[in-house]
Structures are given as C-alpha cells and as structure tokens.
Amino acid sequence: MALHFPPHLHFPLLFLITICLCMNSTFAEKALNLYPFFQVYANGTVHRYEEIKFVPPSNNPKTGVQSKDVAILPQKDVSARLYLPKISRKNQKFPLLFYIHGGGFCIQSAFSPLYDSYLHKLTAQANVLVVSINYRLAPEHPIPACYDDSWDVMNWAARGKEPWLKQHANFSRVFLAGDSAGANIANNIMIRASKESHFVLSPVGMALVDPYFGNGKPDALWTYLCPKTNGIDDPRFNPAAHPKILSKLKCSKIYVFTAGKDYLRDRAWTYYETMKKIGWKGELRIKETEGEGHVFHLFNPTSEKAKDLMNTLVHFLGCSMIRHGNYVNSESRVSEFRITVIIFINVLAFLIAYA
C-alpha cells in the first residue's frame, strides 16, 4: 500500500532522506579507519594520516659517514639505504648491520628524516656498515611482503657484489636490528635464517627495540594487515607462544629493549622470559627504560635516556672502547692485542738471549 504524506511534510522528508543518503555514502566511502595509521575507502584507496618526507642520502663531513641508496628489486620497489662509517685505512672492514624500520608495517620509510638521522648517528658511533631496508608497506602489500622483501635484501647483500659491501663489510660479523614492527621483522628473518641451511650469511646477534609482538589482546591492525593470520598467537606475531621455534635460533646473542610506559612492554618481557626458560644457549639481555614510551629514543634522541640506549646498542654491536671521542670496534681491539702480544714475545726473547 502506497504511503501518502501531507504536502507540508514533503520538503522536510526530502531533506532528511538526502541527509541520510549523504551519511550512508560517507560511511560507505570510509570502509575502515585504523587511526593513527590510515583509512581504507570502499574503493580500496588508502589514505595515510601522516605524510612521510624523503631526505636524500648525504655525506657528513663531521663524522665521515657516507650514505647512498640502492635499488635492489626495482620491479617490486624494494630498496635500501647504505651507511658507510669513516674509513681510516684501505680495505677497512666493519661489522654489517641490517636495520629494519618500524611503523606498524604500514608507515615510515628507510629514507625518512627520522630514520636517516638515527642511522647516521648509529653508524658513526658503532663503526658499523648499515643496510637500512626499505620494504613494501601494508595494506597495499599485505604481510608477509615485508618479511619476503627483507629476506631478499639480505640475500642480495650476501652476494657481495655491491662495491661498499664487497670492500668494507665483514660478513662474519652480521647483526639484525629493528624497532617496533621492524623488530618483529628482524625476529622473523632471524628465524628463517636459522632454518635455511643454504643461507650464506650467519648473523651473530639481534637487537629488538620495543618489538611489536602485540599485548595479548585482539589486534585490529595486525589482523587487517595479515589476512592469513591465525590470530594473536600467530608465530610471526607472538613468537613466545612457540618456544620450539625460538629454541632453534642460531645467533649467539640477543638484546631486547623495552620502555616502562610502552603499551607493548609485557610481550617484550614475555619474549625474554621465554628465551630464558627454554635454555637458549646464547647471550641474552633485556633493558627497560623507566618512564618512557614506545620508541622514545627516535622522537627525543638528545635526551639522556636516549643516549644511554644508543650507548648500550653500540656496546652490543661490539664497540665498547672510546678513544678520542670515537668508538673502536672489536676487530680493531683484537688486532691491537695481537700486535701487543707479538711485541711482548719479541722483547722477552731478546732479554732471554742476552741474559
């Protein structure tokens, strides 16, 4: 039966119908909102709330650190920024650090001001050659794309054809590190490297800074970005729930960093406690910075606590001596020790011969 409305109600009803249609259209267009990361519209368009700026590679005359960008898989838009410390002698070798940036798997870049500034400082202080991996971002490239891209970059580096790597990388001193989602990726890459016998590189250590392993509650971001996940205890998301996998890690040392006010703090500690419980044979440490939040060291790098975290990471990478304001890596210390021993033996032999 048709409904008839008095003429004086026609305009208000048409107005209300128009408003409802507009509201319905608006909600349809904004199909998903994962603030503060991004929105996804019904047509598949992704709108990120923060635009990440690009800073070009540079040479720092003060520290001597050089950087350059390398396209590794152009067809996939996978690349890296390399950082080379100050060179003091021909063919000088440095520990090789693969660094993986954070950003919830969906924002940030190896070329952003935030990470470029941080890795310039880390390269200078730790005296390491850094490969900062620029992986494809979700949701346009759902997880596991970030894992696959990082793995491809490591295999590319292992071939040793890139000039800086060929001349200056010490492939017997390889480290993985990352913050937040980058720490998650680093852990997954370490697991994969430990499984695959044909993998050329043998990482000796891993630093996980505020790792994104969830907080024990349903995680809308992870669930959306990883469509084939089996939930919050997915081994890629919560590795501590799978101790058998962690027990097979072949690196010799792991350092976990967390912060007292970090909403991911508990899972960082769970990871550490699980590694202790399963009797993992490597060197295992954890450092909690009291009173600070998630990745505070990136947003307030000049604070005393951020400097302390940097110093700890530098020491972990094998650089514990400070000489004239510069860190000296373990390779240099070993060489100096050998020279001292040789001189001592020669002097001793001379004294015995003429005694």
Side-chain angles (χ1 to χ4, degrees):
M1 182 178 70
L3 294 177
H4 298 280
F5 297 97
H8 67 279
L9 292 180
H10 285 180
F11 177 76
L13 283 172
L14 286 173
F15 179 74
L16 288 173
I17 291 171
T18 302
I19 293 295
C20 289
L21 288 173
C22 289
M23 291 176 66
N24 185 59
S25 174
T26 299
F27 286 126
E29 288 178 4
K30 297 181 179 178
L32 179 71
N33 186 359
L34 286 170
Y35 184 84
F37 298 104
F38 59 83
Q39 288 181 339
V40 181
Y41 294 91
N43 63 3
T45 301
V46 177
H47 169 72
R48 287 178 172 80
Y49 286 102
E50 181 183 5
E51 181 181 353
I52 304 300
K53 295 181 180 179
F54 172 89
V55 293
S58 61
N59 298 335
N60 189 321
K62 185 176 180 180
T63 63
V65 173
Q66 307 173 59
S67 64
K68 67 177 177 180
D69 295 342
V70 181
I72 296 169
L73 294 173
Q75 70 276 19
K76 291 184 178 180
D77 197 25
V78 177
S79 55
R81 176 162 291 180
L82 275 58
Y83 297 84
L84 182 65
K86 183 178 181 180
I87 301 170
S88 59
R89 62 180 183 275
K90 187 178 180 181
N91 296 325
Q92 183 177 3
K93 300 291 186 180
F94 303 97
L96 178 59
L97 170 64
F98 291 91
Y99 193 89
I100 308 173
H101 72 79
F105 305 102
C106 58
I107 61 171
Q108 272 301 332
S109 160
F111 314 127
S112 71
L114 189 72
Y115 283 100
D116 184 69
S117 174
Y118 176 70
L119 290 174
H120 260 285
K121 294 176 182 176
L122 181 60
T123 302
Q125 294 187 35
N127 221 27
V128 293
L129 199 166
V130 177
V131 177
S132 179
I133 299 173
N134 196 58
Y135 55 87
R136 290 171 295 168
L137 299 178
E140 296 93 335
H141 306 282
I143 298 169
C146 56
Y147 302 139
D148 295 337
D149 294 348
S150 300
W151 181 252
D152 288 340
V153 171
M154 290 191 68
N155 278 282
W156 163 84
R159 291 193 285 271
K161 294 182 179 180
E162 200 287 322
W164 282 5
L165 296 176
K166 184 177 182 180
Q167 190 170 2
H168 297 293
N170 181 350
F171 287 102
S172 66
R173 297 280 298 165
V174 176
F175 292 86
L176 271 70
D179 62 272
S180 194
N184 175 296
I185 297 170
N187 183 72
N188 278 281
I189 295 303
M190 185 64 79
I191 290 172
R192 188 168 177 177
S194 300
K195 287 180 179 178
E196 302 201 12
S197 57
H198 66 276
F199 186 55
V200 177
L201 298 178
S202 298
V204 298
M206 177 171 63
L208 306 176
V209 183
D210 299 344
Y212 182 14
F213 294 148
N215 59 7
K217 301 177 182 178
D219 192 295
L221 183 64
W222 167 261
T223 302
Y224 183 76
L225 299 182
C226 187
K228 295 183 179 180
T229 185
N230 57 18
I232 60 173
D233 285 334
D234 186 311
R236 297 167 294 182
F237 188 57
N238 181 20
H242 304 269
K244 288 185 178 180
I245 295 177
L246 291 180
S247 66
K248 296 177 182 179
L249 290 179
K250 291 183 179 179
C251 58
S252 59
K253 56 182 183 176
I254 296 174
Y255 214 131
V256 182
F257 297 83
T258 189
K261 294 183 178 180
D262 187 355
Y263 62 100
L264 301 174
R265 170 189 176 276
D266 290 348
R267 278 285 176 90
W269 274 99
T270 300
Y271 180 95
Y272 170 77
E273 294 294 345
T274 300
M275 293 295 286
K276 281 181 59 180
K277 186 177 180 180
I278 62 178
W280 184 69
K281 302 301 181 181
E283 177 186 339
L284 178 66
R285 296 185 181 182
I286 190 168
K287 179 183 180 66
E288 178 173 314
T289 304
E290 296 181 359
E292 297 291 348
H294 192 61
V295 294
F296 72 94
H297 64 291
L298 295 176
F299 299 110
N300 190 14
T302 59
S303 69
E304 290 303 315
K305 291 180 180 179
K307 292 177 182 177
D308 179 60
L309 193 155
M310 174 69 85
N311 290 337
T312 304
L313 182 57
V314 165
H315 182 87
F316 174 76
L317 295 172
C319 316
S320 58
M321 284 182 62
I322 300 178
R323 180 177 301 162
H324 305 301
N326 295 318
Y327 285 85
V328 181
N329 65 39
S330 56
E331 182 184 359
S332 300
R333 296 200 305 272
V334 170
S335 298
E336 291 175 0
F337 175 74
R338 288 172 179 168
I339 293 171
T340 302
V341 169
I342 292 171
I343 293 173
F344 175 77
I345 291 173
N346 288 333
V347 171
L348 185 62
F350 176 81
L351 292 174
I352 293 174
Y354 290 93

